Amino acid sequence: MLNFLLDVKNKIVKINNYFVLVKPQMRYLYSMFALVDCNNFYASCERVFNPSLRDKPIAVLSNNDGCVIARSDEAKALGLPMGAPAFKFKEFFKSNNVQLFSSNFALYGDMSSRVMRILEHFSPDVEVYSIDEAFLKLNGFEAYNLHTHGIEMRQRILKWTGIPTCVGIAPTKALSKIANKIARKFPKETGGVYVIDSEEKRIKALKWTKLKDVWGIGPALHKRLSEKQCKTAYDFVQLPDMWVRKTFSITEWKLKKDLEGISKIETETVKNKRAIATTRSFESAISNLEEIKERISTFACSGAEKLRKQGSSCHMMIIFIRSDYHKKETEQHRASVVVNIPFPTNSSLTLSANAIKAVASIYKQGIHYKKAGVILTGIVPTDNHQLQLFDKENPKHLPLMRTIDFINKKYDVPKLKLANQDLKRTWKMRQQHLSPKYTTNIKDIITVQCP
C-alpha cells in the first residue's frame, strides 16, 4: 500500500470497501515505524531509585571501572568525552562533582525488559534493537493520531518505570531514527515525539540532519561521501541509485531508499549468533598460570551456556591473553591460539578442557596479564550438523549439561560449576561504585521510610 501511495496526488482509492480521498500529507500513514529510545538509559536507571541524582552529572563506567560508557546530559555539558579513561579523569570527576557508577547490568537489563514489555502493548511487532531502544512496526494505524500514540507510549513508560523516553515515527526505520533525534533535540516543541508523515517534513528533516549523524553511516563511509560534497542526509539521497550500488553495496542503497521514504530495511527477527565472545579485563594483573586457567575455564563455560541456550554447538574456539598495554614500563606480551574441535560441542567440560590446554601453550612466564578471552565460532545447530564416524561427544555430557542449566536457572545464580572454577564469584571485576540491584536481588530491594 505504501509504495502505491507514494505517487498518489489527491486521488480517491478504495480501502476496506470504503472510498477514501488520499491527500499528499496522508500518503505515509498506512505503514509506519516508531523508534522508542530511552534517554540516558544507564543514568536514568540510577535516578529511578535515587531521585537525589536528578539534574546532577552522572557517568557510568565499563567493566573494572575502566572508562566512561554512558553520560547524563549534565555530564556531556561539562565536556566529559565518551570512553574517557577513569584514572585520567579523577580530578575532573572530583572538581565537577560527577557522580560515578560501576556498570550494574543486572539492574539495567531488568529495567530494559520492563520497558520492552510495555511497548508490546502498543504494537504486536516489536524489534528490540539494543538495551535502550526498540523499533515498533505500526501497520493498520491509519485511524490513529500517531503523535498522540507516541505521547501515550512515553507517558506509560515514565509512569510504570520512571524511565524518560523519546519517540520518532516515520515511514521507514532510517527516517524514524532521524525523527527520534528531532524529538530528543527539541523536547519542548515536540513533546518528546516527532512524526514524519509528509514529504515536506521528510525533506526538512533530511536537510537538518548532518551526514555523520545518519544511522548506518560510519566514519569510513562518511569520509568517502564527504568527497562527493555530501554534508547532510539530503545530499546523500540526491546521489544516483546506480552510483551508490556500484560504488558501495546493497546495504548503502537500502539506506538511501529508506531515507527517501521507501522502506527497504525491515524489522529483523532474532537470529542465533555466529560467534560468541566472552572477554574480560582482570580486576588486577595476573601472572600465575593457574589463576589464568581458572578465568579461561569460567569464560569457556559461560560461552558453552550461551551455546546451549540458543540450541547451538561449535567446533572451533579462539583463546587469547594480553598484558596491560597502558603500563609501558613492563614487559608486554599478547598471544592467541585457534583450537579446532573434531566434533561440534556445547559441553562445558569439553570446551573448558580445550581452552585450558590452549592457554597453557601461549602463556609466558613473568608476564603480568590484564585481559583474556574465549571466542566460540564455527557455530552450527545442535540438532542438525554433520556427524563424525570416530570422534564423538561423550554421551553423558548432554544430560549433565541439561541438569546443570536447569539448577542454575532455578536458583538464578550459578550454583553448579566445574571444580577448576572460582566457586565464589563468576567475574572478578573492580566495581567500586556499584549501586544496589534494586529489582533483581531481594537483599537490595529499596526501603521506604514513612514518618
Side-chain angles (χ1 to χ4, degrees):
M1 178 63 73
L2 175 60
N3 291 335
F4 169 74
L5 290 176
L6 283 172
D7 298 321
V8 170
K9 293 183 179 179
N10 290 325
K11 290 187 177 181
I12 295 178
V13 296
K14 189 175 182 180
I15 302 177
N16 296 333
N17 296 322
Y18 291 95
F19 289 97
V20 180
L21 176 63
V22 181
K23 298 182 179 181
Q25 63 267 27
M26 297 172 58
R27 62 185 176 180
Y28 290 137
L29 298 180
Y30 296 95
S31 181
M32 302 286 274
F33 290 88
L35 175 66
V36 181
D37 188 12
C38 300
N39 302 341
N40 303 319
F41 182 61
Y42 290 177
S44 295
C45 288
E46 300 291 352
R47 284 170 170 165
V48 167
F49 301 97
N50 188 354
S52 64
L53 296 172
R54 291 175 183 171
D55 301 324
K56 293 183 179 180
I58 295 175
V60 179
L61 304 176
S62 62
N63 292 332
N64 288 308
D65 295 343
C67 59
V68 175
I69 60 172
R71 307 158 296 165
S72 65
D73 287 338
E74 294 80 7
K76 294 176 185 177
L78 291 172
L80 178 64
M82 180 68 82
F87 73 96
K88 288 185 178 181
F89 279 76
K90 284 184 178 179
E91 288 301 320
F92 180 92
F93 296 145
K94 185 177 180 181
S95 61
N96 290 282
N97 197 27
V98 177
Q99 307 296 309
L100 290 181
F101 290 92
S102 303
S103 298
N104 191 343
F105 291 119
L107 174 64
Y108 307 153
D110 184 67
M111 294 299 289
S112 172
S113 178
R114 296 177 185 220
V115 171
M116 300 309 165
R117 287 200 298 268
I118 293 172
L119 291 179
E120 292 174 357
H121 298 173
F122 292 90
S123 173
D125 195 349
V126 178
E127 176 193 345
V128 179
Y129 184 67
S130 67
I131 193 172
D132 62 345
E133 59 183 327
F135 288 103
L136 284 70
K137 195 166 186 179
L138 306 177
N139 283 335
F141 279 69
E142 57 269 19
Y144 283 68
N145 182 313
L146 295 180
H147 187 270
T148 302
H149 197 59
I151 293 293
E152 290 176 358
M153 290 185 203
R154 293 191 71 238
Q155 291 177 343
R156 188 174 301 180
I157 292 172
L158 185 62
K159 183 177 181 179
W160 290 9
T161 68
I163 301 294
T165 59
C166 283
V167 181
I169 302 176
T172 69
K173 292 175 73 173
L175 286 174
S176 70
K177 273 276 191 178
I178 292 177
N180 188 279
K181 287 182 180 294
I182 295 172
R184 184 84 166 85
K185 182 70 174 180
F186 307 102
K188 292 183 179 179
E189 295 83 353
T190 64
V193 178
Y194 188 71
V195 182
I196 298 177
D197 55 2
S198 70
E199 187 69 0
E200 181 182 1
K201 285 185 177 181
R202 183 185 73 84
I203 293 175
K204 187 176 181 179
L206 293 182
K207 290 182 176 180
W208 174 82
T209 306
K210 295 179 181 179
L211 185 64
K212 63 182 181 66
D213 294 331
V214 175
W215 178 49
I217 295 184
L221 181 58
H222 177 261
K223 182 179 180 180
R224 295 181 67 184
L225 289 172
S226 295
E227 296 173 355
K228 297 292 292 183
Q229 305 303 314
C230 287
K231 298 180 180 180
T232 65
Y234 183 76
D235 296 333
F236 175 53
V237 299
Q238 300 308 303
L239 297 174
D241 282 358
M242 291 302 297
W243 183 85
V244 173
R245 286 287 295 269
K246 184 178 179 180
T247 308
F248 303 110
S249 69
I250 187 66
T251 302
E252 286 74 21
W253 176 81
K254 285 184 177 181
L255 174 59
K256 179 179 180 294
K257 303 310 287 183
D258 241 50
L259 293 173
E260 291 175 357
I262 303 172
S263 181
K264 293 296 181 181
I265 306 176
E266 291 295 326
T267 51
E268 299 178 358
T269 56
V270 178
K271 297 180 180 178
N272 287 342
K273 296 180 179 179
R274 297 182 180 179
I276 294 176
T278 306
T279 66
R280 293 290 187 277
S281 295
F282 304 140
E283 185 177 13
S284 58
I286 300 175
S287 59
N288 184 280
L289 177 58
E290 294 305 313
E291 290 186 59
I292 294 176
K293 284 182 177 180
E294 188 278 327
R295 291 290 83 198
I296 287 293
S297 174
T298 297
F299 298 165
C301 291
S302 175
E305 183 180 352
K306 293 174 183 177
L307 280 175
R308 296 193 295 270
K309 190 174 182 179
Q310 70 174 31
S312 301
S313 298
C314 76
H315 54 74
M316 185 182 298
M317 60 194 310
I318 303 170
I319 292 85
F320 74 87
I321 51 175
R322 78 178 190 201
S323 56
D324 190 350
Y325 58 85
H326 288 296
K327 297 182 178 180
K328 306 296 183 182
E329 69 279 4
T330 62
E331 184 180 356
Q332 300 292 312
H333 179 243
R334 60 189 304 165
S336 63
V337 61
V338 178
V339 178
N340 290 296
I341 305 172
F343 49 84
T345 180
N346 58 23
S347 167
S348 297
L349 296 171
T350 302
L351 293 175
S352 175
N354 279 275
I356 289 174
K357 185 178 180 180
V359 76
S361 69
I362 59 176
Y363 166 80
K364 188 176 179 181
Q365 191 171 6
I367 300 295
H368 290 78
Y369 292 100
K370 184 61 177 176
K371 188 173 184 177
V374 175
I375 303 172
L376 306 180
T377 185
I379 295 177
V380 296
T382 298
D383 57 358
N384 183 17
H385 61 260
Q386 181 68 44
L387 299 177
Q388 305 294 324
L389 182 59
F390 299 107
D391 296 314
K392 294 185 290 185
E393 182 79 88
N394 186 328
K396 295 182 180 180
H397 287 196
L398 179 60
L400 177 60
M401 293 301 108
R402 286 176 178 170
T403 302
I404 290 176
D405 291 341
F406 174 78
I407 294 175
N408 287 341
K409 183 178 180 181
K410 181 178 180 180
Y411 291 98
D412 202 32
V413 289
K415 292 290 186 181
L416 296 181
K417 300 182 181 180
L418 302 188
N420 57 9
Q421 292 181 256
D422 188 322
L423 301 179
K424 295 181 180 180
R425 297 173 65 184
T426 303
W427 310 121
K428 292 184 176 180
M429 293 190 296
R430 185 190 302 114
Q431 294 181 309
Q432 297 177 349
H433 311 282
L434 185 65
S435 58
K437 301 177 178 65
Y438 297 104
T439 63
T440 59
N441 191 329
I442 191 65
K443 296 180 181 179
D444 290 343
I445 192 169
I446 194 169
T447 57
V448 179
Q449 296 180 353
C450 299

mmCIF file of all heavy atoms in Angstrom, residues 11 14 17 56 77 97 112 120 180-181 189 212 251 263 276 292 301 303 308 317 335 372 394 413 424 445:
data_model
loop_
_atom_site.group_PDB
_atom_site.id
_atom_site.type_symbol
_atom_site.label_atom_id
_atom_site.label_comp_id
_atom_site.label_asym_id
_atom_site.label_seq_id
_atom_site.Cartn_x
_atom_site.Cartn_y
_atom_site.Cartn_z
ATOM 1 N N LYS A 11 -6.061 11.528 -4.913
ATOM 2 C CA LYS A 11 -6.839 10.521 -5.626
ATOM 3 C C LYS A 11 -7.795 9.819 -4.676
ATOM 4 O O LYS A 11 -7.558 9.728 -3.481
ATOM 5 C CB LYS A 11 -5.917 9.491 -6.272
ATOM 6 C CG LYS A 11 -5.106 10.047 -7.450
ATOM 7 C CD LYS A 11 -4.356 8.936 -8.134
ATOM 8 C CE LYS A 11 -3.588 9.444 -9.357
ATOM 9 N NZ LYS A 11 -2.859 8.374 -10.047
ATOM 10 N N LYS A 14 -9.893 2.893 -3.009
ATOM 11 C CA LYS A 14 -10.792 2.029 -2.262
ATOM 12 C C LYS A 14 -9.983 1.250 -1.229
ATOM 13 O O LYS A 14 -9.081 0.502 -1.563
ATOM 14 C CB LYS A 14 -11.505 1.059 -3.210
ATOM 15 C CG LYS A 14 -12.632 0.264 -2.541
ATOM 16 C CD LYS A 14 -13.358 -0.580 -3.565
ATOM 17 C CE LYS A 14 -14.521 -1.341 -2.915
ATOM 18 N NZ LYS A 14 -15.236 -2.181 -3.900
ATOM 19 N N ASN A 17 -13.301 -1.619 1.365
ATOM 20 C CA ASN A 17 -14.661 -1.382 0.869
ATOM 21 C C ASN A 17 -15.152 0.042 1.082
ATOM 22 O O ASN A 17 -16.342 0.314 0.964
ATOM 23 C CB ASN A 17 -15.665 -2.363 1.510
ATOM 24 C CG ASN A 17 -15.365 -3.792 1.109
ATOM 25 O OD1 ASN A 17 -14.987 -4.050 -0.046
ATOM 26 N ND2 ASN A 17 -15.517 -4.732 2.037
ATOM 27 N N LYS A 56 21.931 16.135 38.219
ATOM 28 C CA LYS A 56 23.349 16.076 38.554
ATOM 29 C C LYS A 56 24.106 15.294 37.480
ATOM 30 O O LYS A 56 23.559 14.374 36.879
ATOM 31 C CB LYS A 56 23.562 15.426 39.924
ATOM 32 C CG LYS A 56 23.016 16.249 41.084
ATOM 33 C CD LYS A 56 23.313 15.591 42.411
ATOM 34 C CE LYS A 56 22.783 16.428 43.571
ATOM 35 N NZ LYS A 56 23.065 15.799 44.881
ATOM 36 N N ALA A 77 27.423 18.164 29.050
ATOM 37 C CA ALA A 77 27.570 19.622 29.012
ATOM 38 C C ALA A 77 28.881 20.082 29.646
ATOM 39 O O ALA A 77 29.420 21.132 29.283
ATOM 40 C CB ALA A 77 26.389 20.275 29.728
ATOM 41 N N ASN A 97 32.100 17.394 40.525
ATOM 42 C CA ASN A 97 31.105 16.654 41.316
ATOM 43 C C ASN A 97 30.303 15.671 40.460
ATOM 44 O O ASN A 97 29.080 15.571 40.569
ATOM 45 C CB ASN A 97 30.150 17.629 42.021
ATOM 46 C CG ASN A 97 29.373 16.954 43.152
ATOM 47 O OD1 ASN A 97 29.836 15.983 43.742
ATOM 48 N ND2 ASN A 97 28.187 17.461 43.429
ATOM 49 N N SER A 112 15.346 -2.604 31.267
ATOM 50 C CA SER A 112 15.139 -2.660 29.816
ATOM 51 C C SER A 112 14.024 -3.639 29.471
ATOM 52 O O SER A 112 13.160 -3.349 28.636
ATOM 53 C CB SER A 112 16.433 -3.086 29.119
ATOM 54 O OG SER A 112 16.221 -3.319 27.745
ATOM 55 N N GLU A 120 5.121 -3.697 23.952
ATOM 56 C CA GLU A 120 4.313 -4.733 23.309
ATOM 57 C C GLU A 120 2.823 -4.438 23.422
ATOM 58 O O GLU A 120 2.021 -5.024 22.687
ATOM 59 C CB GLU A 120 4.640 -6.089 23.930
ATOM 60 C CG GLU A 120 6.052 -6.574 23.601
ATOM 61 C CD GLU A 120 6.423 -7.847 24.347
ATOM 62 O OE1 GLU A 120 5.593 -8.306 25.161
ATOM 63 O OE2 GLU A 120 7.524 -8.361 24.114
ATOM 64 N N ASN A 180 13.434 10.570 15.783
ATOM 65 C CA ASN A 180 13.749 10.444 17.200
ATOM 66 C C ASN A 180 14.785 11.479 17.630
ATOM 67 O O ASN A 180 14.693 12.058 18.711
ATOM 68 C CB ASN A 180 14.260 9.031 17.498
ATOM 69 C CG ASN A 180 14.424 8.767 18.977
ATOM 70 O OD1 ASN A 180 15.415 9.158 19.572
ATOM 71 N ND2 ASN A 180 13.456 8.088 19.568
ATOM 72 N N LYS A 181 15.771 11.726 16.772
ATOM 73 C CA LYS A 181 16.785 12.739 17.080
ATOM 74 C C LYS A 181 16.146 14.126 17.197
ATOM 75 O O LYS A 181 16.526 14.933 18.049
ATOM 76 C CB LYS A 181 17.872 12.747 16.002
ATOM 77 C CG LYS A 181 18.816 11.552 16.042
ATOM 78 C CD LYS A 181 19.879 11.655 14.979
ATOM 79 C CE LYS A 181 20.818 10.467 15.005
ATOM 80 N NZ LYS A 181 21.635 10.399 16.242
ATOM 81 N N GLU A 189 9.236 21.672 22.044
ATOM 82 C CA GLU A 189 8.425 21.902 20.842
ATOM 83 C C GLU A 189 7.685 20.640 20.388
ATOM 84 O O GLU A 189 6.589 20.722 19.844
ATOM 85 C CB GLU A 189 9.307 22.400 19.702
ATOM 86 C CG GLU A 189 9.939 23.765 19.926
ATOM 87 C CD GLU A 189 11.207 23.715 20.757
ATOM 88 O OE1 GLU A 189 11.531 22.622 21.280
ATOM 89 O OE2 GLU A 189 11.878 24.753 20.875
ATOM 90 N N LYS A 212 27.064 12.719 9.258
ATOM 91 C CA LYS A 212 27.697 11.844 10.257
ATOM 92 C C LYS A 212 26.702 11.345 11.304
ATOM 93 O O LYS A 212 26.994 10.380 12.029
ATOM 94 C CB LYS A 212 28.840 12.575 10.951
ATOM 95 C CG LYS A 212 28.435 13.793 11.756
ATOM 96 C CD LYS A 212 29.645 14.473 12.365
ATOM 97 C CE LYS A 212 29.255 15.699 13.193
ATOM 98 N NZ LYS A 212 28.477 15.337 14.375
ATOM 99 N N THR A 251 23.696 -2.573 0.975
ATOM 100 C CA THR A 251 23.351 -2.013 2.283
ATOM 101 C C THR A 251 23.185 -0.503 2.215
ATOM 102 O O THR A 251 22.211 0.063 2.728
ATOM 103 C CB THR A 251 24.430 -2.375 3.320
ATOM 104 O OG1 THR A 251 24.545 -3.797 3.396
ATOM 105 C CG2 THR A 251 24.069 -1.820 4.689
ATOM 106 N N SER A 263 10.522 1.970 2.253
ATOM 107 C CA SER A 263 11.044 1.047 3.257
ATOM 108 C C SER A 263 11.787 -0.126 2.633
ATOM 109 O O SER A 263 11.215 -0.909 1.867
ATOM 110 C CB SER A 263 9.904 0.519 4.130
ATOM 111 O OG SER A 263 10.395 -0.349 5.125
ATOM 112 N N ILE A 276 30.391 -16.331 19.564
ATOM 113 C CA ILE A 276 30.096 -15.953 20.946
ATOM 114 C C ILE A 276 31.419 -15.643 21.633
ATOM 115 O O ILE A 276 32.279 -16.517 21.759
ATOM 116 C CB ILE A 276 29.348 -17.074 21.683
ATOM 117 C CG1 ILE A 276 27.956 -17.265 21.065
ATOM 118 C CG2 ILE A 276 29.234 -16.771 23.166
ATOM 119 C CD1 ILE A 276 27.176 -18.419 21.657
ATOM 120 N N ILE A 292 45.093 -17.821 35.709
ATOM 121 C CA ILE A 292 44.659 -17.554 34.335
ATOM 122 C C ILE A 292 43.823 -18.717 33.816
ATOM 123 O O ILE A 292 42.797 -18.511 33.140
ATOM 124 C CB ILE A 292 45.880 -17.301 33.434
ATOM 125 C CG1 ILE A 292 46.581 -16.008 33.850
ATOM 126 C CG2 ILE A 292 45.460 -17.230 31.971
ATOM 127 C CD1 ILE A 292 47.853 -15.722 33.092
ATOM 128 N N CYS A 301 33.048 -21.809 29.981
ATOM 129 C CA CYS A 301 31.768 -22.319 30.494
ATOM 130 C C CYS A 301 30.632 -21.340 30.217
ATOM 131 O O CYS A 301 29.498 -21.753 29.920
ATOM 132 C CB CYS A 301 31.875 -22.605 31.987
ATOM 133 S SG CYS A 301 32.936 -24.010 32.394
ATOM 134 N N GLY A 303 30.501 -19.264 27.668
ATOM 135 C CA GLY A 303 30.198 -19.398 26.239
ATOM 136 C C GLY A 303 29.409 -20.658 25.943
ATOM 137 O O GLY A 303 28.483 -20.655 25.124
ATOM 138 N N ARG A 308 24.215 -23.459 24.444
ATOM 139 C CA ARG A 308 23.083 -24.333 24.756
ATOM 140 C C ARG A 308 21.771 -23.569 24.781
ATOM 141 O O ARG A 308 20.718 -24.089 24.396
ATOM 142 C CB ARG A 308 23.329 -25.031 26.106
ATOM 143 C CG ARG A 308 24.525 -25.958 26.118
ATOM 144 C CD ARG A 308 24.545 -26.841 27.352
ATOM 145 N NE ARG A 308 24.721 -26.105 28.588
ATOM 146 C CZ ARG A 308 25.887 -25.821 29.150
ATOM 147 N NH1 ARG A 308 27.015 -26.177 28.535
ATOM 148 N NH2 ARG A 308 25.953 -25.172 30.299
ATOM 149 N N MET A 317 37.340 -22.712 18.535
ATOM 150 C CA MET A 317 37.412 -21.692 19.571
ATOM 151 C C MET A 317 38.746 -20.956 19.490
ATOM 152 O O MET A 317 39.759 -21.521 19.082
ATOM 153 C CB MET A 317 37.183 -22.290 20.961
ATOM 154 C CG MET A 317 38.167 -23.361 21.367
ATOM 155 S SD MET A 317 37.634 -24.330 22.817
ATOM 156 C CE MET A 317 37.189 -23.066 23.981
ATOM 157 N N ALA A 335 49.037 -12.887 22.872
ATOM 158 C CA ALA A 335 49.059 -14.085 22.024
ATOM 159 C C ALA A 335 47.666 -14.668 21.935
ATOM 160 O O ALA A 335 46.811 -14.448 22.803
ATOM 161 C CB ALA A 335 50.037 -15.112 22.587
ATOM 162 N N ALA A 372 41.903 -11.454 29.113
ATOM 163 C CA ALA A 372 41.861 -12.744 28.415
ATOM 164 C C ALA A 372 40.461 -12.950 27.865
ATOM 165 O O ALA A 372 39.514 -12.256 28.246
ATOM 166 C CB ALA A 372 42.250 -13.881 29.357
ATOM 167 N N ASN A 394 31.093 -37.282 24.339
ATOM 168 C CA ASN A 394 30.738 -38.238 25.366
ATOM 169 C C ASN A 394 29.230 -38.144 25.613
ATOM 170 O O ASN A 394 28.720 -37.079 25.964
ATOM 171 C CB ASN A 394 31.515 -37.927 26.653
ATOM 172 C CG ASN A 394 31.301 -38.982 27.728
ATOM 173 O OD1 ASN A 394 30.233 -39.584 27.832
ATOM 174 N ND2 ASN A 394 32.326 -39.199 28.529
ATOM 175 N N VAL A 413 21.300 -18.067 39.993
ATOM 176 C CA VAL A 413 22.743 -17.827 40.135
ATOM 177 C C VAL A 413 23.448 -19.151 39.844
ATOM 178 O O VAL A 413 22.885 -20.222 40.068
ATOM 179 C CB VAL A 413 23.120 -17.338 41.557
ATOM 180 C CG1 VAL A 413 22.634 -15.925 41.794
ATOM 181 C CG2 VAL A 413 22.571 -18.270 42.623
ATOM 182 N N LYS A 424 33.239 -18.891 44.325
ATOM 183 C CA LYS A 424 32.621 -17.757 44.997
ATOM 184 C C LYS A 424 32.105 -16.701 44.036
ATOM 185 O O LYS A 424 31.056 -16.117 44.245
ATOM 186 C CB LYS A 424 33.610 -17.121 45.977
ATOM 187 C CG LYS A 424 34.002 -18.040 47.131
ATOM 188 C CD LYS A 424 34.966 -17.338 48.080
ATOM 189 C CE LYS A 424 35.361 -18.241 49.230
ATOM 190 N NZ LYS A 424 36.311 -17.569 50.157
ATOM 191 N N ILE A 445 16.504 -4.777 47.767
ATOM 192 C CA ILE A 445 15.226 -4.133 47.484
ATOM 193 C C ILE A 445 15.156 -2.802 48.222
ATOM 194 O O ILE A 445 15.634 -2.661 49.356
ATOM 195 C CB ILE A 445 14.050 -5.048 47.902
ATOM 196 C CG1 ILE A 445 12.724 -4.494 47.338
ATOM 197 C CG2 ILE A 445 13.986 -5.227 49.392
ATOM 198 C CD1 ILE A 445 11.574 -5.459 47.486
#
